[in-house]
Amino acid sequence: QFEVIADVNGTNLRMLIDTGASSIVLSDEDARAAGFEPERLRFVVPVATANGTTLVARARADTVNVGAISRNEIPIYVAQPGRLDQSLLGMSFINTLNGFDLRGDRIVLRD
């Protein structure tokens, strides 16, 4: 498993790179830190997780930066409180890259 520090809307968040996740998913705590108000979101999108099915809310991040790689106006999901321990950097971000390489205990993202 690989972790990155991603800047979401100007807030540094520790995220797990998850090629099994179709999208970026923020935990409730990280969503709040990045300026989202989960109590104002609608948790209506069903998603399958390793722990079963749950509901998430659609949102949009103004910016998501990982190192020098920057994406604007990117769709994300927000997990309900207590449903996600660590935010996920999923394929909706990874698919925007030119690729990535696994080098021993490191992952290199290519823009």
Side-chain angles (χ1 to χ4, degrees), residues 48-68:
T49 72
N51 297 322
T53 302
T54 189
L55 297 174
V56 295
R58 284 186 182 93
R60 183 169 294 276
D62 295 331
T63 58
V64 176
N65 304 312
V66 177

Side-chain angles (χ1 to χ4, degrees), residues 27-93:
S27 69
D28 174 72
E29 181 179 318
D30 285 350
R32 290 175 190 281
F36 297 96
E37 298 178 28
E39 59 277 354
R40 300 183 75 179
L41 298 174
R42 294 184 53 223
F43 294 90
V44 297
V45 180
V47 294
T49 72
N51 297 322
T53 302
T54 189
L55 297 174
V56 295
R58 284 186 182 93
R60 183 169 294 276
D62 295 331
T63 58
V64 176
N65 304 312
V66 177
I69 300 168
S70 182
R71 298 296 182 262
N72 298 319
E73 297 298 321
I74 192 163
I76 65 162
Y77 291 101
V78 175
Q80 292 175 311
R83 298 290 181 145
L84 185 63
D85 294 330
Q86 185 172 18
S87 294
L88 307 174
L89 188 70
M91 293 306 293
S92 63
F93 184 87

Side-chain angles (χ1 to χ4, degrees), residues 3 6-7 9-10 12-13 20 22-23 29 42 44-46 49-50 56 60 72 75 79 93 95 102 104 106 108 111:
E3 287 185 338
D7 175 315
N9 292 346
N12 287 333
L13 304 176
S22 58
S23 300
E29 181 179 318
R42 294 184 53 223
V44 297
V45 180
T49 72
V56 295
R60 183 169 294 276
N72 298 319
F93 184 87
N95 283 336
L102 297 175
R106 294 181 353 166
V108 177
D111 192 15

